[in-house]
Amino acid sequence: VGENLEILTDGVQGFHAAGETQWVEKIRALAADVKLREKLGKAAFVRVKEGYSLQAAAPRLVELLTKTAVS
């Protein structure tokens, strides 16, 4: 939904689901497979850390503020 399509790659950091049937299938797959949950969870953590953490966002924010201040 929305930004989730941009944040995660289906089957890598989580799942996309179009409708109730797919949601149920994906939740069942996760419930049944601890290694899959661990794999997706670790990949999701790395994705968020690299793209959305304070450490990742701060340099971009500083650059934006610097450009705005100079303008």
Side-chain angles (χ1 to χ4, degrees):
V1 175
E3 189 65 19
N4 289 338
L5 298 174
E6 300 297 322
I7 293 174
L8 68 86
T9 303
D10 188 41
V12 177
Q13 297 99 359
F15 292 120
H16 297 160
E20 184 177 337
T21 301
Q22 284 188 355
W23 275 109
V24 171
E25 289 172 1
K26 303 300 182 178
I27 290 171
R28 284 186 177 153
L30 289 168
D33 191 339
V34 68
K35 291 191 185 291
L36 177 62
R37 292 192 307 270
E38 290 174 354
K39 179 182 134 190
L40 296 178
K42 287 177 183 178
F45 178 81
V46 169
R47 174 72 173 116
V48 169
K49 183 177 177 185
E50 290 177 353
Y52 299 92
S53 69
L54 179 59
Q55 291 80 8
R60 294 189 302 252
L61 180 59
V62 168
E63 180 182 352
L64 176 64
L65 293 173
T66 301
K67 285 180 181 178
T68 303
V70 172
S71 298

